[in-house]
């Protein structure tokens, strides 16, 4: 999808093995104390990990900054968190305030949360300290987490798995992915001015949730994630990964599914429909590459394999059909990679990327888009990659100017795919600064209980690209108001 990330840059964008989702009920350890009180809640639990929530109440003098510490007794390890700076040394866990929530007046409370890995039992911590002061000093013993059940209504996002042609949650209920794209992570870092285009703090993510979105797609850049030398160090490698993990955690904290997606990749392509002549990851390439892309997905999968809420979207908008002479050549390149007609670098096919992810032990759901910038799924079922986890879905993109942009095409090309696997319209939009086209798309998908995500949650001019908002508080454009009102009508 073509979009204007900056006025100076017009960029081209575009069950076998899922972790068993046995989620624990809310379990709380509370205690009255003259200095501070801590409520520790296990809000979700699965075979290899769990999600926790912590509420801190300050009953002493007002604090301008705070740090909570406690110890895990069962070998648990915090992987990431939100609304606090989480870290762990040995068994000791620390959660320090963020810049926006350091002030804690007398009687005030602050809530934070985290994802952690575990192996075996998951005992609740028995002692908490706030700035070194022991909390809950009445000595009340926290209860054992007890048996596992589905999470309470209004908790975190569901753990999704592919069941036939639907996504289902731990209780077997059908789930749809409905939401928005949050563009920026694919281009700001390679253009050298940041990691995101606009704010991604808690208020900005809450504004997405306020639209009643349940999914946020997060486009990424492989050179920035891998920390290659052409990227400024402050926007690369560990710094970039930490920023992505923080955004994923905030999306989850607001009950939404994070979808991490590879958008821009390395590899020089100057053929038909080339987005740029640059070898670096500064535009949409026709296919991913063997030099870096499998390493990217191995790293991403290792980062998030203990977080079953995350969905992986393999590659934004493949277009090997623009370089190949026949559809068979293009689809073979799409699945198998290697030496592909018209593409000068060794291609990583969709099978290579599925194998890279599953090779880490990650069982998260995977999406794979088809040809023609993910608008062509005509032979997707024929060339479908093998997934040993049986957790693969089809991705599709549509704009009013695409070839397959009417109900007749959707009936003939999409319906057969949607009858066999979950179908997610990862990008829907139009260049009219209106919403009559996506209204038709949403109706077709609603009638079939399918998933869709609007492009894009960025404050660009909707007349030059499909921007949903004019401000990061969620103020919609004339285009975005159609998606906002529709999502709110589906989930009043």
């Amino acid at each position: 999808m073509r979009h204007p990330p900056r006025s100076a840059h017009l960029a081209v964008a575009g069950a076998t093995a899922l972790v068993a989702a046995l989620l624990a009920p809310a379990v709380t350890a509370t205690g009255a104390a003259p200095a501070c009180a801590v409520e520790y809640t296990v809000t979700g639990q699965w075979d290899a990990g769990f999600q926790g929530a912590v509420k801190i109440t300050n009953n002493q003098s007002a604090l301008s900054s705070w740090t909570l510490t406690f110890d895990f007794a069962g070998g648990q390890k915090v992987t990431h968190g939100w609304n606090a700076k989480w870290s762990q040394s040995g068994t000791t866990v620390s959660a320090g305030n963020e810049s926006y929530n350091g002030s804690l007046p007398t009687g005030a409370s602050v809530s934070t949360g985290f994802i952690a890995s575990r192996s075996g039992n998951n005992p609740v911590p028995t002692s908490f300290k706030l700035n070194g002061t022991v909390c809950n000093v009445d000595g009340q013993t926290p209860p054992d987490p007890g048996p596992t059940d589905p999470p309470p209504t209004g908790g975190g996002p569901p753990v999704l798995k592919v069941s036939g042609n639907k996504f289902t949650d731990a209780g077997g209920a059908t789930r749809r992915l409905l939401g928005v794209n949050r563009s920026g992570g694919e281009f700001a870092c390679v253009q050298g001015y940041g990691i995101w285009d606009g704010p991604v703090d808690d208020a900005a993510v809450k504004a997405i949730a306020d639209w009643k979105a349940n999914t946020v797609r997060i486009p990424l850049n492989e050179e920035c994630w891998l920390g290659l030398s052409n990227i400024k160090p402050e926007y690369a490698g560990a710094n970039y990964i930490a920023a992505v993990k923080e955004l994923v955690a905030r999306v989850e904290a607001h009950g939404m599914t994070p979808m991490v997606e590879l958008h821009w990749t390395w590899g020089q392509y100057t053929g038909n429909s080339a987005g740029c002549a640059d070898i670096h990851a500064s535009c949409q390439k026709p296919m991913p590459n063997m030099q870096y892309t499998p390493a990217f997905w191995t790293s991403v999968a290792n980062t998030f394999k203990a977080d079953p809420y995350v969905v992986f979207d393999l590659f934004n908008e493949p277009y090997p059909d623009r370089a190949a002479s026949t559809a068979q050549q293009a689809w073979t390149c799409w699945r198998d990679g290697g030496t592909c007609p018209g593409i000068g670098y060794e291609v990583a096919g969709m099978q290579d990327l599925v194998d890279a992810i599953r090779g880490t032990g990650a069982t998260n759901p995977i999406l794979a888009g088809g040809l023609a910038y993910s608008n062509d799924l005509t032979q997707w079922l024929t060339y479908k990659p093998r997934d040993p986890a049986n957790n693969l879905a089809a991705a599709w993109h549509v704009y009013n100017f695409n070839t397959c942009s009417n109900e007749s095409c959707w009936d003939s090309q999409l319906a057969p795919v949607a009858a066999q696997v979950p179908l997610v319209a990862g990008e829907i939009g139009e260049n009219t600064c209106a919403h009559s086209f996506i209204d038709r798309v949403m109706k077709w998908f609603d009638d079939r209980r399918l998933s869709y995500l609007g492009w894009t949650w960025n404050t660009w001019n909707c007349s030059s690209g499909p921007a949903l908002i004019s401000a990061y508080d969620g103020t919609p454009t004339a285009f975005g108001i159609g998606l906002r009102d529709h999502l709110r009508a589906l989930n009043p």
Side-chain angles (χ1 to χ4, degrees), residues 297-369:
W297 273 116
T298 296
S299 177
V300 171
N302 275 320
T303 300
F304 292 114
K305 66 183 181 182
D307 183 351
Y309 303 124
V310 177
V311 174
F312 298 148
D313 189 350
L314 292 179
F315 187 66
N316 178 46
E317 293 183 343
Y319 59 97
D321 47 299
R322 299 298 178 95
S325 301
T326 68
Q328 181 181 5
Q329 289 177 339
W331 280 105
T332 301
C333 174
W334 178 84
R335 183 189 62 196
D336 299 335
T339 301
C340 292
I343 301 176
Y345 52 86
E346 185 180 3
V347 167
M350 298 301 116
Q351 188 64 62
D352 294 313
L353 305 187
V354 172
D355 291 345
I357 292 170
R358 297 304 184 222
T360 69
T363 56
N364 307 61
I366 294 175
L367 306 184

Side-chain angles (χ1 to χ4, degrees), residues 125-212:
T126 58
S127 178
F128 303 88
K129 292 182 179 180
L130 182 65
N131 290 4
T133 299
V134 178
C135 302
N136 301 348
V137 294
D138 63 347
Q140 181 177 340
T141 302
D144 184 81
T148 56
D149 288 306
T153 302
V159 176
L160 300 172
K161 67 175 181 178
V162 171
S163 299
N165 68 339
K166 303 294 183 184
F167 289 113
T168 58
D169 62 19
T174 298
R175 295 282 190 155
R176 303 169 67 195
L177 302 179
L178 303 170
V180 303
N181 287 260
R182 179 58 177 94
S183 182
E186 75 274 34
F187 61 79
C189 56
V190 74
Q191 292 175 358
Y193 68 91
I195 294 178
W196 307 112
D197 183 59
V200 292
D201 57 10
D202 189 70
V205 175
K206 181 180 183 298
I208 299 175
D210 287 344
W211 275 31
K212 300 300 184 180

Side-chain angles (χ1 to χ4, degrees), residues 90-468:
T91 62
T92 301
V93 178
S94 297
N97 65 272
E98 296 281 7
S99 59
Y100 55 82
N101 63 3
S103 176
L104 200 57
T106 304
S109 300
V110 61
S111 294
T112 178
F114 63 90
I115 299 289
S117 62
R118 71 182 184 99
S119 177
N121 293 331
N122 185 20
V124 171
T126 58
S127 178
F128 303 88
K129 292 182 179 180
L130 182 65
N131 290 4
T133 299
V134 178
C135 302
N136 301 348
V137 294
D138 63 347
Q140 181 177 340
T141 302
D144 184 81
T148 56
D149 288 306
T153 302
V159 176
L160 300 172
K161 67 175 181 178
V162 171
S163 299
N165 68 339
K166 303 294 183 184
F167 289 113
T168 58
D169 62 19
T174 298
R175 295 282 190 155
R176 303 169 67 195
L177 302 179
L178 303 170
V180 303
N181 287 260
R182 179 58 177 94
S183 182
E186 75 274 34
F187 61 79
C189 56
V190 74
Q191 292 175 358
Y193 68 91
I195 294 178
W196 307 112
D197 183 59
V200 292
D201 57 10
D202 189 70
V205 175
K206 181 180 183 298
I208 299 175
D210 287 344
W211 275 31
K212 300 300 184 180
N214 67 23
T215 303
V216 180
R217 183 171 179 257
I218 305 170
L220 301 180
N221 184 297
E222 76 179 9
E223 290 188 326
C224 299
W225 181 280
L226 295 172
L228 301 191
S229 59
N230 60 299
I231 308 298
K232 290 182 178 180
E234 58 265 40
Y235 309 136
N239 292 330
Y240 184 86
I241 293 170
V244 174
K245 289 171 65 177
E246 184 176 13
L247 178 54
V248 164
R250 284 178 175 152
V251 168
E252 292 176 349
H254 285 280
M256 297 182 290
T257 295
M259 181 187 296
V260 294
E261 174 264 320
L262 178 56
H263 217 78
W264 284 1
T265 53
W266 178 93
Q268 190 168 40
Y269 174 74
T270 58
N272 183 24
S273 301
C276 63
D278 191 359
I279 194 172
H280 293 298
S282 59
C283 69
Q284 178 69 48
K285 306 298 170 66
M287 283 293 290
N289 63 88
M290 279 301 292
Q291 183 155 345
Y292 294 116
T293 310
F296 166 87
W297 273 116
T298 296
S299 177
V300 171
N302 275 320
T303 300
F304 292 114
K305 66 183 181 182
D307 183 351
Y309 303 124
V310 177
V311 174
F312 298 148
D313 189 350
L314 292 179
F315 187 66
N316 178 46
E317 293 183 343
Y319 59 97
D321 47 299
R322 299 298 178 95
S325 301
T326 68
Q328 181 181 5
Q329 289 177 339
W331 280 105
T332 301
C333 174
W334 178 84
R335 183 189 62 196
D336 299 335
T339 301
C340 292
I343 301 176
Y345 52 86
E346 185 180 3
V347 167
M350 298 301 116
Q351 188 64 62
D352 294 313
L353 305 187
V354 172
D355 291 345
I357 292 170
R358 297 304 184 222
T360 69
T363 56
N364 307 61
I366 294 175
L367 306 184
L371 303 186
Y373 302 93
S374 291
N375 186 242
D376 177 3
L377 297 183
T378 51
Q379 297 189 52
W380 193 96
L381 293 172
T382 301
Y383 288 87
K384 174 186 176 183
R386 300 176 306 278
D387 179 14
N390 293 321
N391 217 17
L392 182 71
W396 181 72
H397 294 183
V398 69
Y399 294 87
N400 57 310
F401 47 80
N402 287 143
T403 300
C404 189
S405 59
N406 58 66
E407 288 81 354
S408 175
C409 184
W410 306 337
D411 289 340
S412 63
Q413 293 189 17
L414 299 189
V417 177
Q420 296 197 35
V421 297
L423 175 61
V424 180
E427 294 182 14
I428 64 172
E430 57 189 288
N431 60 359
T432 64
C433 210
H435 54 84
S436 59
F437 176 73
I438 68 163
D439 288 346
R440 291 167 47 206
V441 175
M442 292 187 292
K443 182 182 187 307
W444 196 91
F445 274 65
D446 286 342
D447 288 346
R448 293 156 182 81
R449 300 285 295 164
L450 305 175
S451 303
Y452 48 83
L453 308 172
W455 183 274
T456 173
W457 191 272
N458 296 77
T459 56
W460 308 329
N461 186 332
C462 69
S463 62
S464 59
L468 294 166

